[in-house]
Amino acid sequence: MKQCLQASQIHFNSIIQPAGFYIVALSSMSYSNIYVMFLTVLYVITVMCNVFLITIIFYDHRLHVPKFMAVGNLALVDLVLSTSLVPGMIKTYILLDNFVPFNLCLVQMYTYYTFLSLEPLSLCILSYDRFIAICFPLRHESINTNTRMAYVISAVWFFSIVIILYAVTSIPTLSFCGSLEVHSYFCDYAPVLVLACGDTTPQWNYATALTMLFITVPLIFIFLTYMGILTAVFRMKNNQSRYKALTTCTEHLILVALFFIPIVIIFCFTFFGIIWNPNVGLVSLCLSSLLTPCVNPILYSLKTKEIRSRIHSLLTQRLSVHPLRNVH
């Protein structure tokens, strides 16, 4: 088997640890390099827009409120999530170097899944913020303070960091004595686990439980918060108030749909054993992981009045500092 048997192996206490893995998914797909180039452009836009959004929120004291703390948190999560994928894909599919050292594989796996788990939890934080603002309009400033929002964000980060750590640190305890070809576009947990030659039942059970946890619990939480929001909206006396309240939720609902719909469809297809092209599933998962981070800062920059006004003031200040001069 080509290069995979040439990888040096370390034998320690009967554990066979390879030097690394070979990323082989999408290689059979036509124009995979063009697809990765498209993702690279998407990644550049993602980095620029999210850094811009984080900078505006950080430097403008008027935006130091719970809502924009949640928006900034989502932007940071999006930035790291996309960074955990695209540079590795560029190396694999454009530079044609598909070998990933074992430890680097674990780092990428841990980073990706930590921030992928933070994505739905960050969307939950935003739905919580909208729920408090719309359902308790007179008390939301006292209920949802900056300190409380900081505690919520910190708790969510701690939870994801710890819960994913066990899954990834279980990989070095396994032996890899066969193929080293990972059938994914990065060092993915399940495709790496398939390559292990020992009993992986605990790891599979843990991974299944986490998948259900990070799909069902956030969806249920978001659904319940929006049921509360709709109840509060329909109790409002005039249509203008209802419209104004609902428009503050549109960007969040778009992000929820972009993130969850592809994942839920793929999960249902896999769970019910529906046969389809594996490349389609991989491309869909990849896009769902990278499209939301790109759309998030654009949506919040275009649709949020406070950020639009801040961008306008920045442009106005820049033009006043560097006025156009007539060329004689």
Side-chain angles (χ1 to χ4, degrees):
M1 294 172 8
K2 55 175 186 175
Q3 292 173 307
C4 53
L5 293 179
Q6 296 175 8
S8 62
Q9 296 178 331
I10 301 170
H11 295 258
F12 183 72
N13 291 339
S14 75
I15 294 175
I16 304 172
Q17 189 179 101
F21 298 100
Y22 295 91
I23 309 299
V24 297
L26 302 182
S27 54
S28 61
M29 189 178 76
S30 301
Y31 307 111
S32 60
N33 57 337
I34 295 176
Y35 172 66
V36 175
M37 288 175 69
F38 162 72
L39 293 182
T40 304
V41 173
L42 203 66
Y43 173 66
V44 171
I45 296 170
T46 299
V47 171
M48 290 174 62
C49 292
N50 278 293
V51 169
F52 181 66
L53 182 60
I54 292 169
T55 304
I56 286 178
I57 293 172
F58 182 79
Y59 282 106
D60 192 344
H61 293 284
R62 292 170 296 178
L63 299 179
H64 292 180
V65 294
K67 176 183 177 179
F68 292 105
M69 288 175 67
V71 171
N73 170 67
L74 181 61
L76 180 60
V77 170
D78 288 339
L79 187 62
V80 181
L81 178 62
S82 55
T83 302
S84 69
L85 277 183
V86 179
M89 294 182 73
I90 293 171
K91 174 178 172 289
T92 300
Y93 298 102
I94 296 180
L95 302 180
L96 302 179
D97 180 9
N98 68 336
F99 179 76
V100 182
F102 186 80
N103 289 333
L104 185 59
C105 177
L106 296 181
V107 170
Q108 185 188 35
M109 187 188 297
Y110 178 71
T111 306
Y112 173 76
Y113 278 105
T114 298
F115 286 88
L116 183 66
S117 67
L118 278 168
E119 188 81 18
L121 297 179
S122 298
L123 292 173
C124 285
I125 293 173
L126 282 166
S127 68
Y128 157 77
D129 173 76
R130 291 296 84 210
F131 174 78
I132 298 298
I134 294 172
C135 296
F136 305 97
L138 300 178
R139 295 171 51 210
H140 79 276
E141 290 185 1
S142 60
I143 296 173
N144 193 22
T145 62
N146 284 2
T147 303
R148 192 162 293 169
M149 179 59 76
Y151 283 146
V152 171
I153 293 171
S154 300
V156 162
W157 276 66
F158 179 78
F159 176 74
S160 291
I161 288 169
V162 171
I163 204 168
I164 300 298
L165 189 62
Y166 171 77
V168 176
T169 52
S170 68
I171 296 292
T173 65
L174 302 172
S175 290
F176 296 88
C177 46
S179 172
L180 299 176
E181 294 184 346
V182 177
H183 290 272
S184 184
Y185 49 90
F186 74 108
C187 268
D188 202 349
Y189 185 78
V192 169
L193 206 56
V194 168
L195 303 179
C197 49
D199 180 24
T200 57
T201 304
Q203 285 83 359
W204 281 115
N205 291 339
Y206 190 73
T208 304
L210 286 189
T211 303
M212 296 295 292
L213 174 70
F214 286 113
I215 292 177
T216 56
V217 173
L219 275 176
I220 292 170
F221 180 84
I222 291 169
F223 175 78
L224 291 176
T225 54
Y226 273 97
M227 286 299 99
I229 288 170
L230 287 174
T231 302
V233 165
F234 286 122
R235 287 176 181 170
M236 293 177 181
K237 295 180 180 179
N238 58 73
N239 291 331
Q240 186 176 359
S241 298
R242 293 174 182 173
Y243 176 77
K244 185 178 179 181
L246 289 175
T247 51
T248 63
C249 303
T250 52
E251 58 264 28
H252 178 253
L253 286 172
I254 292 170
L255 293 176
V256 169
L258 282 174
F259 181 76
F260 279 107
I261 288 175
I263 291 176
V264 170
I265 290 173
I266 293 166
F267 179 79
C268 290
F269 272 43
T270 306
F271 185 80
F272 292 109
I274 299 173
I275 300 172
W276 64 337
N277 189 334
N279 284 336
V280 175
L282 290 173
V283 168
S284 301
L285 276 175
C286 185
L287 276 177
S288 69
S289 298
L290 295 174
L291 197 58
T292 307
C294 183
V295 172
N296 163 41
I298 297 171
L299 272 179
Y300 277 101
S301 297
L302 293 178
K303 292 188 66 63
T304 307
K305 181 182 177 182
E306 295 92 336
I307 294 179
R308 283 204 314 269
S309 63
R310 181 56 180 156
I311 293 171
H312 181 264
S313 64
L314 283 173
L315 292 174
T316 305
Q317 288 174 12
R318 187 166 183 81
L319 288 174
S320 64
V321 172
H322 303 286
L324 293 175
R325 295 177 180 179
N326 295 326
V327 179
H328 299 286

